[in-house]
Structure formats: structure tokens, C-alpha cells
Amino acid sequence: MTAPAPAAPAAPASPGVAKAAPGSLTRVADDVYAYVQPEGGWCLNNAGLVVGGGRSVLVDTAATEARARHLRAEVERVVPAGPDYVVNTHFHGDHTFGNGQFVPRAVVVAHEGTRSDICEAGLGLRHLWPGVEWGDTPLTPPDLTFRDRLTLHGDGGPRTELFDVGPAHTPNDVVAWVPERGVLFTGDVVWSGVTPYLLMGSITGSLQALARMRVLAPEVVVPGHGPVGGPELLDETEAYVRWLAELARDGLRRGVSALTAAREADLGAFAGLLDSERLVGNLHRAYAELEGLEPGARIDVAASFKEMVAFHGGLPSCHA
């Protein structure tokens, strides 16, 4: 078993590096904005902003210095002084590397397990795609941590409720719920038009997290990657996870490896999702859980990534 963000496997950088247009901050409800980065693939995550009552909350940041600076400029169009709080939904660098653009004014908030994983993983994600222009992304762990839930209040504005719903995408995943506006920021527990990635989290835990979010009855769902939608995004993510679980059971019954099962799989309704190579990593997690590994327990991430490269036929594309 390995650390949460392993050293990169040997692979050529240039074929997997490309550029996509930066995102923009778009109003999705009164006092609530989504920052959506097209096309939503590797390291192109979404963020969000909740304002009102003299306080503002930014949900997640961005992977590179340039993208984090663009996010900050978009936020400052709405909140000229910048956000008061930055919430990290989980430890992955695309959601956290931009923290440094918002401190010391903002207090960075996360689950206590997320803080530990940020400190352990460091800037390791940068090594997976060395051709990306990461820029200056100083490691900036959270200042304030919690275990189960935390509410950030605005004085007369909408409150932002933070819930621990992990393990799902990672060992500790937090969602940000704005109950007065019906908006749910899911981090990478929910995906839109992009293949979910569960290697570091849990198959069963993802289903439990989706059930918890469904009880909230959100009107607007801002996923970790891909376009904003409604509660149908919960259904679409759940459908993939359930299909994945059945594929894993079949693969184990037949005694084939995760890579072979992925190569033989009929993607069917999921063929159009970005980054299909994640199926290999997802099957490694599903196999391990079926064989008794605890949800969120460590798994060999580096070996899985090498197999994803093999499945893809080269380094997966990163548009950061």
C-alpha cells in the first residue's frame, strides 16, 4: 500500500498535455455561483462561491497558478476583497493547489483527514504530468478542520453547511450544502459527463454518500467535474457505480485482472464519458473491497495508474 499521491510512473509527458479555456463564475441561484472549467477532465475541476451577509465562502480552488489566479479574478468581480473562507472538499491537488492565492485573508477549511492527506501528498500530483505549466503552487494546508460537520454562517446571508460523506472519492470527502438556495457542491463524489474516479475512496461508500445527498433534495448540483445540473447527476453517478460493482463481481468470478476486465467491458451508456481509463483504477478498488479491503483503505495507486496508461495507450490527457 502507498501514500495518497504516489510518485509518477515513467511515461512521456508531451502527448498527455493540452490546454483548455479557463472557466468563468456563473450565478446558479441568488448569492451562489459556480465556476465550471471545460471540459472537466483530469485536473479541470469546478469551484463555487457563496456570498451574502458580509461573508463569502469559496468551495475548492484550482490546479495551476494561472488557473487559480483566473479563479481569484472571477471571485473578485463579485467579492472585491476576496473570500473569507476557502473550503477544500478533498485533498487532490486540482482542488487544493490554488489555496495559496487566497491566504492570508481567507481561512482554509477542510476535514481533518483531508488536511493530513494534503500534507502527506504534497505536490506529488505535479509529477504525473511534468509537461503542465503548474507555476507557483505552494502547499497551503487548511487552517481550520472538523470531523463530521461544520456550518459557516453569513450574517443574514445564506449559510454553507459542510458534511463529511466519505469515504467515496477519497478517504474523506466533504460536500457543501446551501440549504436556503437548494444548491449542493459535491466535490468529486458526483461527476457530470466525466468518468468517476473511486480508486482512493470506496464503491460502497460512494453509494452511501449519494444516498445521503439525495435526502437533501438539491435543486442545483455542482459536480466536481463537468457541467452543472440537477439531482439527475446523482442518479447518473450512481448508475455508473452500480454498473462498476457488477462488472467487478463478474471479473472476480471469471478470475481476470482489473485491466483485462476493463478492456473486455462493454461501456454501453457510459461510453461517452471523458477519461474512460479510470475504469481500470475503479476496478482495482472494487476488486479489493470485494476481497475485504476496508473502504478508503490504502491501495497501490502508482501500479493502477500505470495500468490506466496501458489501457489508454499513453499518458491520459491533462488540460491544466
Side-chain angles (χ1 to χ4, degrees):
M1 292 186 289
T2 64
S14 53
V17 177
K19 277 291 181 185
S24 60
L25 204 61
T26 303
R27 181 178 170 277
V28 294
D30 289 345
D31 309 311
V32 185
Y33 300 80
Y35 181 84
V36 177
Q37 296 199 86
E39 301 140 338
W42 290 101
C43 298
L44 283 178
N45 64 293
N46 298 333
L49 181 69
V50 184
V51 301
R55 292 187 179 89
S56 56
V57 179
L58 177 64
V59 181
D60 283 328
T61 59
T64 67
E65 179 184 5
R67 289 186 177 277
R69 285 184 179 276
H70 185 272
L71 171 60
R72 188 180 70 185
E74 287 290 295
V75 169
E76 289 175 352
R77 288 195 300 107
V78 179
V79 185
D84 299 287
Y85 298 98
V86 171
V87 174
N88 292 151
T89 57
H90 60 287
F91 80 90
H92 288 160
D94 50 339
H95 296 254
T96 64
F97 283 175
N99 287 356
Q101 292 293 330
F102 300 95
V103 299
R105 171 181 164 78
V107 175
V108 183
V109 184
H111 189 278
E112 63 179 26
T114 295
R115 188 184 197 282
S116 296
D117 284 343
I118 287 173
C119 293
E120 182 179 349
L123 302 177
L125 177 66
R126 295 165 56 116
H127 302 307
L128 292 177
W129 287 280
V132 166
E133 295 180 10
W134 297 99
D136 185 18
T137 59
L139 193 66
T140 309
D143 309 289
L144 174 65
T145 63
F146 66 98
R147 290 185 180 180
D148 299 317
R149 60 189 299 164
L150 177 70
T151 300
L152 302 175
H153 294 274
D155 185 9
R159 68 189 187 273
T160 304
E161 298 180 354
L162 308 178
F163 299 90
D164 172 28
V165 297
H169 170 62
T170 67
N172 302 105
D173 293 285
V174 166
V175 299
W177 169 233
V178 188
E180 290 93 347
R181 303 295 184 263
V183 180
L184 179 64
F185 295 94
T186 69
D188 286 359
V189 181
V190 175
W191 305 71
S192 176
V194 183
T195 304
Y197 190 40
L198 312 178
L199 176 68
M200 300 179 199
S202 172
I203 309 303
T204 56
S206 291
L207 294 173
Q208 292 167 359
L210 290 162
R212 287 190 63 187
M213 288 186 284
R214 191 171 282 109
V215 170
L216 300 173
E219 298 174 20
V220 178
V221 175
V222 182
H225 295 252
V228 173
E232 76 281 353
L233 298 185
L234 306 181
D235 300 334
E236 292 166 7
T237 299
E238 179 177 346
Y240 178 90
V241 176
R242 292 194 180 280
W243 169 79
L244 168 68
E246 183 54 40
L247 190 67
R249 284 190 286 268
D250 177 69
L252 279 179
R253 274 196 304 266
R254 295 189 294 118
V256 300
S257 69
L259 179 57
T260 298
R263 284 173 167 163
E264 294 177 351
D266 178 2
L267 298 181
F270 309 109
L273 298 181
L274 292 179
D275 305 325
S276 61
E277 65 276 0
R278 291 177 180 161
L279 176 58
V280 180
N282 294 339
L283 282 169
H284 273 284
R285 169 58 64 176
Y287 274 29
E289 284 194 11
L290 288 170
E291 293 173 335
L293 186 68
E294 288 295 317
R298 298 293 178 84
I299 198 167
D300 193 337
V301 177
S304 169
F305 194 85
K306 288 178 182 178
E307 290 192 3
M308 285 193 286
V309 171
F311 178 91
H312 185 70
L315 189 67
S317 296
C318 177
H319 295 257

